[in-house]
Amino acid sequence: MNHQDRLRDALTAGDLKGAERHAMAALRDSPFDGMFLARLGSIQMSLGRAHEGVDALRQAVAALPQAGIVWNGYGVALAATGAARKAEVALRKALSLAPEIPQNHSNYGKVLRGGLEEAGFGNVRRYDWRETDIGKAGIDDYIQAYLPHMDKENRRLMALNVEADKPV
């Protein structure tokens, strides 16, 4: 049985400590394997060791710079350590590389929301153009980014727009 099989079996069994041991064993054989580094970082995050997870995921994105899902994990780890700005950059990179992965959008939104709330904004919510005076008048406000273009009913929204209440 190879490292990948042992790692998978440990994760399937919910044995995070065992999975970590198998990931580390795999990295002793192949120290720059981006997928094992990414797995190790995710496992360390799950074990509550976010700073260690960041280190492993930083190495993973260096090994796999075009893997959007790895950038996503790195961004989540950075956010967990309080590095919101760096997390935002990493998650933006994840989105640029893999916009088809819903989790990339979700995590980016969470980081942006957290930044707004940290700055004192409240009631952070998705901007709904339909509820504005402009939207009710049927006017395009140029932030309605849909694919296929302007197909607002059967579409895929391509822009994240939020609004919030400013602090008093």
Side-chain angles (χ1 to χ4, degrees), residues 16-160:
L16 292 176
K17 292 279 191 184
E20 182 180 35
R21 279 193 311 276
H22 293 303
M24 292 174 87
L27 288 167
R28 280 191 293 277
D29 293 343
S30 301
F32 304 107
D33 185 306
M35 288 314 294
F36 282 120
L37 286 163
R39 285 290 202 162
L40 176 62
S42 295
I43 292 164
Q44 290 169 330
M45 289 286 302
S46 296
L47 289 169
R49 300 193 329 257
H51 288 284
E52 291 177 54
V54 166
D55 290 340
L57 285 156
R58 181 182 302 113
Q59 293 174 56
V61 296
L64 299 168
Q66 299 303 311
I69 194 69
V70 176
W71 279 97
N72 180 66
Y74 182 47
V76 169
L78 286 166
T81 64
R85 291 286 172 229
K86 289 181 180 179
E88 183 182 338
V89 170
L91 290 165
R92 196 174 317 120
K93 180 73 172 181
L95 279 171
S96 72
L97 292 169
E100 73 282 359
I101 299 175
Q103 199 62 38
N104 291 349
H105 295 271
S106 175
N107 290 332
Y108 185 58
K110 288 175 187 175
V111 166
L112 291 179
R113 175 187 210 118
L116 287 169
E117 289 170 346
E118 187 178 308
F121 286 87
N123 191 23
V124 180
R125 60 204 175 274
R126 185 173 166 183
Y127 172 78
D128 186 356
W129 60 270
R130 291 175 179 94
E131 296 300 316
T132 66
D133 291 339
I134 291 172
K136 289 176 183 173
I139 300 169
D140 184 358
D141 63 2
Y142 297 101
I143 61 170
Q144 302 171 38
Y146 295 100
L147 285 179
H149 179 61
M150 298 307 288
D151 181 352
K152 298 173 187 175
E153 300 308 317
N154 306 303
R155 83 282 189 211
R156 182 173 177 186
L157 183 62
M158 299 305 295
L160 174 65

